[in-house]
Amino acid sequence: MRSIGRILAFGKSLWRYYVVIGVVSVLTAALELTPPLLTKVATDQIVELVQHKPSQLAIVVWAVIGILLAGAFVAVLSNIAGYLGDVMSSRLRKILSAGYFRHLLTLPQTYFDNELTGTLINRLNRSITNVSEFMKMLSNMLMSWLLTTVLTIGVITFFSWQLGLIVFAIYPVFFFMTLKTSKRWMVYEKEKNFHTDVASGRFAEAVSQVKVVKSFMRESTELRFFNRHLTSYVDQTYPQARVWHVQDVYRRLVLELAFFAMVFYTIYQTYHSRFSIGEMVMLLQFIIGLRLPLSALSFIVDQTQQAVAGSKDFFEAMELEAEEADTHRDKHLHVTEGKIEFQDVSFRYSEGKDVLKNISFTVEPRAKFAPVGESGGGKTTLTNLLMRLYTPQSGSILIDGQDINRVSQKSVRENIGVVFQEAELFSGTIQENIAYGNPEASEEAVVAAAQAANAHDFITQFSNGYSTQIGERGIKLSGGQRQRIAIARAVLKDAPILILDEATNALDSRSEALVQDALERLMFGRTTIVIAHRLSTIGGVDQIITLRGGTIDEAGPPSQLAATDGVYAQLLALQDASLERQQSELEKYGIAIGER
Ligand SMILES: Nc1ncnc2c1ncn2[C@@H]1O[C@H](COP(=O)(O)OP(=O)(O)O)[C@@H](O)[C@H]1O
Ligand SMILES: [Mg+2]
């Protein structure tokens, strides 16, 4: 019940709906009571009439008309509640979904490292569907059912406390039985949800990388994985449904006994003239009227449980802590020249060993800085920390003397442009993708950015030019084209600090030349951290650090490092190597072999 309260509270902007639906439901329930009451009046009059006692036919006629009117009002009112319920539940769905998405976007990168996209989507859909469907049913029928039940029991008790006693005795038993089953039901439900979450997670992953699946001919394996989890899902349904329905037979039998007792008692009392015929007919109608909502109680509980289970997942996700950004929301980073300092920074991901240990270095304004190190050496991690996707366990990172952990996260990211190895575009047009960070940018600005990124020429060759749809994550473009769109996107963002993480790695040498040329233009006048795979690129920077085992091995300008016998010098020497063993050494550092 608490969860339902929380859901209602979450959609508190819908309070008008709650009120109107509540009032309409009460009216409906009250009206539902009138036909048996009127039947009683009519029956008693008819009995008198048949026995030739003084009575009024008019009362019978009016009573019957009253029944008709009550029925008509109920038909209208319940549909008003139904209409409002439909609208309310879809609005609630929107509120819950938007709230979930908004919250998800504030969660730290770590959260996304550990969850599959498909799982997140599945969980969202399940929880929110359950919850909003429940709300819809609540307003369409559950609410008036419940009220009708309560009122009916009240009226029955008014006419005969003995009958009331039977209902009151049976209810706790019935409720207790339901509760007991529902606990066991929930255990299975959780397990079922787990399996669909896992299956959906993999589903989304396989579909989004379907090329790999096809090329490794893993279709059947992926399908098997999916099937296995869905089979487990079904497997859990057998005992779950069994528990529920076997118990429901018991519950219903208990109910039937109670009904039998009530009917028997009513007839017996009438036989002894303690109830009039009219009262008997009325009471029997009430008793029969109770059957539907009471035996449907299992269904109501079923729906409620799903809503509770769904809302649990929802609120669990909603309670996860957002990035710490919020605490410094109002202090902004002011980048004047773009100097970056790492002071004694140590970092490890949530699991695993230290990736960086006591790293300190300074990148001068507008300088180019290249971390060099083996693959997995922590180069990307350095840039992740600078963007504040993760927080170091110790040490601090300063931009122009301001600790990035003490200013708003937004202001940090505003000042950093990025180009990654994978261009990571979105479905939509080329124009939209270039302007992703500045949707307000003018057409000329977009074109200028594309020109600077060596992208304008190929874009204008498409028949739709800048309006060309590029497909999911830009799948309809070549790697080099995607990368140049990504560069144009960074050009347009025009941030004083730039991160290039293996931006040319995935490219063939011709598009690499075009991209490299675009990158040079992009880097101009910005403080740049460039992670590159060509010694020629690395050789052109102002400062290099080489990372080994999480610490800085050597630091300095390329010319100086070339003269030592450190890692960089060795890499330079290996560049011309022909020995396979030496080449594999280069590959370890992600350095390109051959052509400089
Ligand atoms: N999101 C993550 N969660 C846990 N460990 C990670 C994560 N990203 C990278 N790592 C680990 O951190 C180390 C450094 O990775 P990275 O900085 O990406 O290396 P590279 O120098 O190749 O860019 C690696 O050992 C990698 O396994
Ligand atoms: Mg990397």
Side-chain angles (χ1 to χ4, degrees):
M1 267 302 125
R2 219 185 89 237
S3 328
I4 307 296
R6 282 170 85 188
I7 297 165
L8 289 175
F10 206 81
K12 58 178 175 289
S13 60
L14 301 173
W15 68 270
R16 284 187 194 82
Y17 286 86
Y18 301 162
V19 171
V20 178
I21 289 171
V23 170
V24 172
S25 299
V26 171
L27 283 178
T28 314
L31 278 171
E32 294 272 24
L33 291 184
T34 49
L37 288 170
L38 291 172
T39 312
K40 169 192 174 298
V41 174
T43 311
D44 282 340
Q45 291 294 323
I46 286 286
V47 169
E48 309 266 291
L49 253 163
V50 170
Q51 294 172 350
H52 306 290
K53 291 184 183 159
S55 72
Q56 289 183 331
L57 190 58
I59 295 183
V60 178
V61 174
W62 281 116
V64 174
I65 291 176
I67 292 174
L68 173 69
L69 287 179
F73 273 121
V74 168
V76 173
L77 284 177
S78 61
N79 273 296
I80 291 178
Y83 168 81
L84 292 173
D86 290 355
V87 175
M88 179 197 69
S89 83
S90 80
R91 290 186 58 170
L92 185 67
R93 189 187 180 106
K94 181 190 149 195
I95 292 175
L96 294 175
S97 307
Y100 182 79
F101 191 32
R102 185 181 312 119
H103 184 67
L104 212 58
L105 291 176
T106 68
L107 293 181
Q109 187 63 35
T110 335
Y111 178 71
F112 298 95
D113 289 351
N114 295 316
E115 291 280 6
L116 296 182
T117 312
T119 304
L120 295 179
I121 296 172
N122 194 53
R123 197 177 292 150
L124 164 78
N125 272 339
R126 185 189 50 244
S127 320
I128 292 178
T129 304
N130 286 349
V131 169
S132 52
E133 283 300 304
F134 171 77
M135 292 302 286
K136 188 154 130 187
M137 290 221 310
L138 186 69
S139 47
N140 284 11
M141 39 185 175
L142 301 191
M143 184 106 144
S144 59
W145 276 6
L146 280 174
L147 287 168
T148 310
T149 310
V150 172
L151 290 180
T152 308
I153 293 172
V155 175
I156 289 179
T157 313
F158 175 76
F159 276 94
S160 152
W161 63 265
Q162 291 91 338
L163 281 178
L165 197 67
I166 298 178
V167 183
F168 278 115
I170 214 65
Y171 240 98
V173 176
F174 189 79
F175 211 76
F176 175 74
M177 290 175 83
T178 313
L179 214 67
K180 222 182 83 205
T181 331
S182 122
K183 282 216 176 91
R184 289 174 63 190
W185 185 93
M186 201 72 122
V187 175
Y188 291 115
E189 185 70 1
K190 237 182 145 166
E191 192 69 17
K192 281 168 77 177
N193 290 346
F194 166 78
H195 286 293
T196 53
D197 280 351
V198 173
S200 313
R202 189 68 189 190
F203 176 93
E205 216 179 1
V207 168
S208 71
Q209 308 188 89
V210 72
K211 228 162 117 180
V212 185
V213 176
K214 282 182 190 293
S215 69
F216 283 90
M217 294 168 299
R218 296 287 286 188
E219 291 94 335
S220 58
T221 329
E222 292 294 344
L223 193 59
R224 244 195 327 272
F225 179 86
F226 190 70
N227 268 330
R228 201 170 59 237
H229 280 284
L230 288 181
T231 307
S232 306
Y233 164 80
V234 174
D235 287 347
Q236 297 293 321
T237 310
Y238 288 111
Q240 185 190 35
R242 196 160 50 229
V243 162
W244 185 259
H245 289 286
V246 168
Q247 291 297 320
D248 200 41
V249 171
Y250 293 139
R251 282 194 300 263
R252 296 276 279 271
L253 287 181
V254 168
L255 267 187
E256 289 309 322
L257 276 178
F259 282 128
F260 170 76
M262 288 163 79
V263 170
F264 181 83
Y265 179 80
T266 308
I267 294 174
Y268 179 80
Q269 292 295 71
T270 314
Y271 176 68
H272 287 289
S273 302
R274 283 188 277 264
F275 289 149
S276 72
I277 300 289
E279 280 170 338
M280 180 189 80
V281 170
M282 177 200 69
L283 286 172
L284 288 181
Q285 279 197 14
F286 277 137
I287 292 168
I288 291 165
L290 273 184
R291 282 176 72 103
L292 172 73
L294 275 191
S295 47
L297 201 65
S298 331
F299 168 73
I300 298 177
V301 174
D302 203 58
Q303 292 299 315
T304 314
Q305 276 180 324
Q306 286 192 10
V308 170
S311 70
K312 220 178 234 154
D313 281 343
F314 175 80
F315 284 112
E316 239 167 56
M318 292 303 285
E319 271 159 16
L320 292 173
E321 281 204 38
E323 286 179 300
E324 312 159 60
D326 298 332
T327 47
H328 301 287
R329 201 181 278 157
D330 19 285
K331 239 179 109 186
H332 294 295
L333 174 71
H334 290 288
V335 180
T336 44
E337 35 184 8
K339 181 175 174 180
I340 302 169
E341 290 163 273
F342 272 58
Q343 294 178 344
D344 223 13
V345 170
S346 297
F347 176 73
R348 84 183 96 76
Y349 290 98
S350 48
E351 61 241 40
K353 54 181 179 36
D354 286 350
V355 176
L356 299 173
K357 291 176 226 160
N358 305 99
I359 298 283
S360 299
F361 61 82
T362 301
V363 188
E364 295 303 330
R366 285 174 287 280
K368 289 184 216 163
F369 174 85
V372 174
E374 292 186 14
S375 164
K379 305 181 292 295
T380 298
T381 304
L382 277 182
T383 65
N384 285 342
L385 293 179
L386 182 63
M387 281 186 279
R388 238 186 93 182
L389 291 173
Y390 303 87
T391 312
Q393 275 79 26
S394 67
S396 39
I397 300 169
L398 312 182
I399 295 178
D400 284 340
Q402 303 148 73
D403 190 329
I404 61 167
N405 267 313
R406 295 182 192 282
V407 292
S408 79
Q409 191 154 54
K410 188 162 163 279
S411 67
V412 173
R413 293 183 191 160
E414 258 167 12
N415 283 295
I416 301 177
V418 290
V419 182
F420 302 123
Q421 177 168 2
E422 289 298 329
E424 302 182 331
L425 305 177
F426 288 93
S427 59
T429 65
I430 291 178
Q431 144 87 31
E432 283 161 4
N433 269 282
I434 295 178
Y436 187 68
N438 323 42
E440 250 82 277
S442 69
E443 207 167 305
E444 296 81 62
V446 169
V447 172
Q451 277 165 340
N454 281 343
H456 180 72
D457 288 346
F458 85 79
I459 295 171
T460 47
Q461 273 166 24
F462 291 133
S463 55
N464 288 325
Y466 281 82
S467 308
T468 306
Q469 293 282 343
I470 62 170
E472 190 178 27
R473 282 177 296 145
I475 196 152
K476 295 183 189 171
L477 299 177
S478 80
Q481 290 170 336
R482 271 202 295 273
Q483 205 56 302
R484 280 175 280 163
I485 302 283
I487 294 171
R489 183 170 69 181
V491 170
L492 198 62
K493 184 173 180 184
D494 196 22
I497 294 168
L498 188 64
I499 293 171
L500 307 178
D501 191 352
E502 315 206 10
T504 61
N505 274 33
L507 307 177
D508 57 90
S509 47
R510 203 190 106 67
S511 31
E512 183 177 346
L514 282 168
V515 170
Q516 190 59 44
D517 181 55
L519 285 176
E520 293 296 339
R521 224 169 290 148
L522 176 59
M523 283 190 276
F524 183 79
R526 302 176 213 272
T527 310
T528 308
I529 295 189
V530 50
I531 301 169
H533 72 138
R534 284 201 185 279
L535 284 174
S536 57
T537 311
I538 298 170
V541 305
D542 301 294
Q543 206 200 352
I544 294 176
I545 58 168
T546 58
L547 292 166
R548 197 205 287 265
T551 57
I552 296 182
D553 198 35
E554 46 181 5
S559 54
Q560 185 189 323
L561 294 192
T564 67
D565 56 357
V567 172
Y568 178 65
Q570 284 169 24
L571 291 175
L572 278 180
L574 285 172
Q575 179 75 358
D576 300 315
S578 49
L579 278 178
E580 230 169 80
R581 189 166 46 79
Q582 293 170 322
Q583 291 197 343
S584 74
E585 186 69 17
L586 278 174
E587 275 169 3
K588 238 169 57 185
Y589 279 81
I591 303 289
I593 298 162
E595 34 175 345
R596 280 197 177 192

